Amino acid sequence: MRGEPLDAETVVSATEEVLRRHGPEKTTVLDVARLLGVSHGSVYRHFPSKAALREAVIRRWLDRVRDDFAAAAQDSGRPPVERLRGLLTGMFAAKWAKAKEDPELFATFRVLAAEHSSVSSAHVGFLVEQIRAIVADGIASGDFADGEPEVIARAVLNATSRFHDPVHAEEWNTPEAEAESEDVVSLILNGIRAR
């Protein structure tokens, strides 16, 4: 049995390891407890369910990329067009890399996205807010045509879903995916530019 006190971060790290071994469908709270050398009740003291454990793992991953996305969106040294392009291509690259390099953990993300979990919904809200801020700056600077930034942001996210929504992950492995994503981003940017 475990000698030192158990904290939530340790449980999340162990869950991440077990998810990588077994995937989201086969991972159980008992597997996590075994890895930690504790009873499953000890795990439940920190997380009320298997779903809560999965959400904590994915929240930690999304928190890691969140800072990069926010930095791209808030880089005032670049014009709004470049910031939006950088945010979108960075978002695509992060998800494509996770799907390729960490398939079991990405499978967990796919499950949560399909379930419309609070973590998945919060991530979408965060992305919309980053795009909205860039669009608002672009409208204020005259780079983008007038419009409602929130509506435009949601439209941009929806128009690019093929390149970031986990439901399309199988399509990301095609040789054309990168060029096609660049074409879509260019079309969007041309569409919202001021004339």
Side-chain angles (χ1 to χ4, degrees):
M1 292 306 276
R2 184 178 183 83
E4 64 270 6
L6 187 63
D7 62 18
E9 190 61 28
T10 301
V11 174
V12 171
S13 294
T15 304
E16 188 172 321
E17 186 176 330
V18 173
L19 283 165
R20 283 193 174 107
R21 286 184 200 170
H22 304 296
E25 300 306 322
K26 293 182 181 175
T27 293
T28 67
V29 173
L30 192 54
D31 294 328
V32 175
R34 274 192 206 116
L35 180 64
L36 291 168
V38 299
S39 71
H40 65 282
S42 296
V43 174
Y44 282 123
R45 278 190 209 100
H46 294 281
F47 296 95
S49 66
K50 175 181 166 179
L53 277 168
R54 291 187 314 196
E55 285 192 346
V57 169
I58 297 306
R59 183 180 301 111
R60 183 165 71 175
W61 170 59
L62 292 174
D63 285 349
R64 289 177 192 147
V65 297
R66 178 180 289 234
D67 292 341
D68 294 337
F69 294 165
Q74 298 165 5
D75 184 357
S76 60
R78 297 172 57 203
V81 170
E82 289 180 25
R83 287 168 43 210
L84 186 52
R85 182 183 301 278
L87 174 63
L88 293 172
T89 58
M91 182 174 64
F92 306 160
K95 291 198 179 161
W96 295 359
K98 188 57 115 178
K100 185 176 182 179
E101 298 163 8
D102 203 349
E104 293 297 346
L105 201 56
F106 189 77
T108 303
F109 178 61
R110 285 178 79 164
V111 167
L112 293 179
E115 294 172 352
H116 303 288
S117 76
S118 62
V119 171
S120 176
S121 297
H123 178 63
V124 169
F126 168 78
L127 294 174
V128 168
E129 177 51 31
Q130 299 311 301
I131 296 168
R132 189 210 60 75
I134 295 170
V135 169
D137 288 351
I139 291 170
S141 69
D143 292 313
F144 295 155
D146 282 337
E148 179 54 47
E150 176 83 16
V151 172
I152 295 167
R154 288 197 178 282
V156 168
L157 196 65
N158 289 334
T160 58
S161 67
R162 180 172 166 235
F163 307 108
H164 62 81
D165 188 323
V167 75
H168 297 284
E170 300 304 318
E171 300 171 38
W172 302 342
N173 296 322
T174 66
E176 303 84 20
E178 187 172 351
E180 289 172 351
S181 71
E182 289 171 7
D183 291 344
V184 169
V185 170
S186 292
L187 183 66
I188 289 168
L189 292 173
N190 288 335
I192 63 174
R193 279 196 179 147
R195 305 277 181 240

